[in-house]
Amino acid sequence: MMRPGASLFLGPETPPHYRKAVLDRLSKENPALFPRPDDAQSFLRAIHLPASLRWSFLNNGKAATSAARRFLFQIEFGTPLTTAWDVPQDINPDSVVHNLQGPSGVLRALIALPDPIETLGRSLRLVTVRHPVARAVSAFEYLCRSHDLAHSWFAQDRLRLNAVTGFDWTTDPRTATGFLKFLDYIQWMQAEGGRTSVNSHWRPQIDTILPALYRPDIVGRVEDMATFCRQVARHLDQPLPDGFALPRTNSQTYADRQDWLSTAARARLRTIYAADFDWLNYAPEDSPA
């Protein structure tokens, strides 16, 4: 039996030539944010909506996006996400939640909708963020995990990190020395390629979210996801399910992570993520959680 009110995207996505016109216009209107149409494309691809169009979620890497999507699935469809799907090209153990916007039609990337910016303006705009120190620690662990698996995930960054900083993949993973080289690499990428060249898993969050354009209505914090869930449920006028508990998905454990945070590392973190600390009102001296 079909659940009351359930709706999926069963129609075709907008054709490529239409998307190109949207991207060209968005880049022309926002040259500082999108120097190239490809930059506008990455932004629109990171924003996903259900067929009801009542909310949108911007994917901000390493900020509880897997758990947030599971919550939003349950809020939207009134049932937990229980589908199992091993996605070989993704090292995220909960990768099914990041493939909801595919051919299934459960979600759709904003770029695939007609009039994307106008549609975005009518939705409840959601995003999750994380303390920059904790997020950088998590990102480094995730990068090291991709090497453990000899996976194609982050392979280009692993190669560049090796070449540019002398990062030794036989001795530097999960060490204070390796973490410092990782931060040096981020700074190098910012200087050489600009903000959009930095991988979104460790790019400053303000450079992914673009709050002046996306204008989030609710900014959930990883440190207090329960409040985020309550706020979203209240704004959508939909109570949380009985006994609801936000799952912990794609979370990493950290060995001696405090040892990674040397004086030099903290100085680099303050520089790299200065805009995040200011915008999100996090204290640079806080330890990761």
Side-chain angles (χ1 to χ4, degrees):
M1 180 181 294
M2 188 67 177
R3 299 187 67 84
S7 178
L8 300 178
F9 288 105
L10 298 181
E13 298 182 348
T14 54
H17 72 274
Y18 188 92
R19 297 189 198 185
K20 183 179 185 303
V22 170
L23 297 175
D24 289 344
R25 184 173 69 252
L26 195 56
S27 179
K28 184 177 181 180
E29 292 173 351
N30 302 274
L33 297 178
F34 308 121
R36 305 167 301 161
D38 283 354
D39 299 324
Q41 177 171 263
S42 296
F43 174 71
L44 295 181
R45 284 192 182 281
I47 302 169
H48 305 134
L49 304 89
S52 68
L53 304 181
R54 61 181 184 155
W55 55 263
S56 60
F57 181 75
L58 190 152
N59 187 55
N60 175 39
K62 303 312 297 172
T65 57
S66 298
R69 286 167 190 263
R70 284 191 170 273
F71 161 70
L72 290 168
F73 181 98
Q74 188 161 353
I75 280 287
E76 183 67 20
F77 298 105
T79 187
L81 174 59
T82 56
T83 304
W85 183 14
D86 178 20
V87 183
Q89 70 270 21
D90 195 337
I91 66 171
N92 185 337
D94 197 24
S95 56
V96 64
V97 302
H98 292 277
N99 287 273
L100 294 172
Q101 70 275 11
S104 64
V106 174
L107 300 181
R108 185 156 285 179
L110 187 62
I111 192 175
L113 298 177
D115 303 313
I117 299 303
E118 191 273 336
T119 300
L120 181 64
R122 292 186 284 112
S123 70
L124 179 71
R125 296 175 297 278
L126 311 172
V127 71
T128 52
V129 300
R130 188 176 190 176
H131 190 291
V133 175
R135 184 168 171 269
V137 168
S138 179
F140 182 54
E141 168 62 31
Y142 207 35
L143 182 67
C144 292
R145 184 175 170 218
S146 72
H147 173 76
D148 295 342
L149 299 172
H151 201 279
S152 60
W153 204 249
F154 305 136
Q156 303 307 320
D157 284 294
R158 297 201 310 268
L159 284 166
R160 287 192 290 252
L161 177 61
N162 193 168
V164 170
T165 71
F167 191 101
D168 188 337
W169 282 104
T170 62
T171 59
D172 284 337
R174 299 182 179 87
T175 66
T177 298
F179 185 59
L180 194 60
K181 290 178 181 179
F182 170 63
L183 297 178
D184 286 342
Y185 169 67
I186 297 174
Q187 287 188 301
W188 180 82
M189 284 295 294
Q190 288 176 319
E192 293 295 319
R195 63 172 183 80
T196 58
S197 71
V198 180
N199 188 286
S200 61
H201 289 80
W202 47 83
R203 178 191 303 162
Q205 295 167 90
I206 196 170
D207 289 339
T208 292
I209 299 168
L210 303 181
L213 183 60
Y214 183 62
R215 297 181 291 110
D217 295 302
I218 300 177
V219 177
R221 294 177 183 262
V222 170
E223 302 81 12
D224 186 12
M225 288 293 288
T227 294
F228 171 72
C229 294
R230 288 194 299 269
Q231 289 177 324
V232 172
R234 184 172 65 252
H235 277 76
L236 294 177
D237 195 24
Q238 187 165 332
L240 289 172
D242 291 338
F244 174 80
L246 192 71
R248 289 181 59 85
T249 60
N250 192 31
S251 58
Q252 285 83 50
T253 57
Y254 311 105
D256 300 323
R257 59 187 175 186
Q258 293 295 330
D259 291 349
W260 299 359
L261 301 175
S262 63
T263 300
R266 285 194 177 274
R268 284 167 176 75
L269 287 163
R270 285 194 296 271
T271 298
I272 294 169
Y273 300 109
D276 280 355
F277 285 122
D278 182 58
W279 172 46
L280 298 171
N281 198 31
Y282 282 116
E285 63 273 13
D286 286 350
S287 296

